[in-house]
Amino acid sequence: MTTRASLLPEPRSYAGTAIMFGATTALPFAILSSWLFAAMEGRSFGEILPIGLAAGLFFGLFFGLTMAFLLMGKTAIVEVADKKGFVSRLNVAMSQLGYNPASQTDDFLTYKPSFQAGLAAGRISVQLQEGHAVVVGPKMYVTKLLQRLAANQ
């Protein structure tokens, strides 16, 4: 039996996802909230910035931990009897979730999120193998995809 190298990305862990979301939201939130608060209170931006940085750090931590729960990576294995029929059902289910095809080869499909799915949704990859498919993507969307595939069998 030969083993092929997988083209699928490794799913992000909870900690990795939390750090990514927290780090990307903390500083913009700190600057924006400091500017807004300074404008409302009639104080200088530099005077308010230390408070805004603390608020941004707290917000980034909270946002990162919350979003990581929904968008951390998940890997799932789906049984596939008919490859062509499965790909058709997969395309319909992905479209219903707000995902568009990004690339496709004989046994590897990638879907990218549209604005409908959300800006932070992340790509979903599917690798077809003998009798099954391996799905990797954000936990919330992979779970929804599995539910739709099961309902459309």
Side-chain angles (χ1 to χ4, degrees):
M1 179 176 181
T2 59
T3 305
R4 291 182 10 198
S6 176
L7 300 173
L8 295 170
E10 289 293 320
R12 287 187 298 232
S13 67
Y14 178 81
T17 306
I19 290 169
M20 179 188 72
F21 278 105
T24 57
T25 58
L27 187 60
F29 181 82
I31 292 172
L32 184 62
S33 63
S34 297
W35 173 78
L36 187 61
F37 189 71
M40 287 183 351
E41 294 294 317
R43 296 166 70 180
S44 73
F45 177 75
E47 186 180 355
I48 300 297
L49 187 59
I51 298 167
L53 289 174
L57 183 63
F58 177 75
F59 177 79
L61 178 66
F62 176 76
F63 185 75
L65 292 174
T66 303
M67 292 303 292
F69 179 73
L70 298 173
L71 299 176
M72 70 180 179
K74 177 177 180 170
T75 301
I77 297 176
V78 180
E79 296 299 318
V80 176
D82 173 28
K83 182 178 171 180
K84 188 176 179 181
F86 174 76
V87 171
S88 295
R89 289 189 358 255
L90 178 67
N91 285 332
V92 170
M94 293 303 291
S95 176
Q96 291 170 340
L97 291 174
Y99 276 77
N100 302 316
S103 66
Q104 181 175 353
T105 63
D106 288 339
D107 62 350
F108 187 77
L109 302 99
T110 305
Y111 298 88
K112 62 183 178 181
S114 66
F115 188 73
Q116 172 192 354
L119 298 175
R123 290 179 178 247
I124 293 179
S125 300
V126 179
Q127 185 166 17
L128 300 169
Q129 298 175 350
E130 278 300 314
H132 66 278
V134 180
V135 181
V136 175
K139 177 183 175 185
M140 182 174 72
Y141 290 99
V142 170
T143 301
K144 287 181 180 182
L145 174 63
L146 295 176
Q147 290 169 350
R148 288 186 187 267
L149 289 173
N152 292 333
Q153 277 189 343

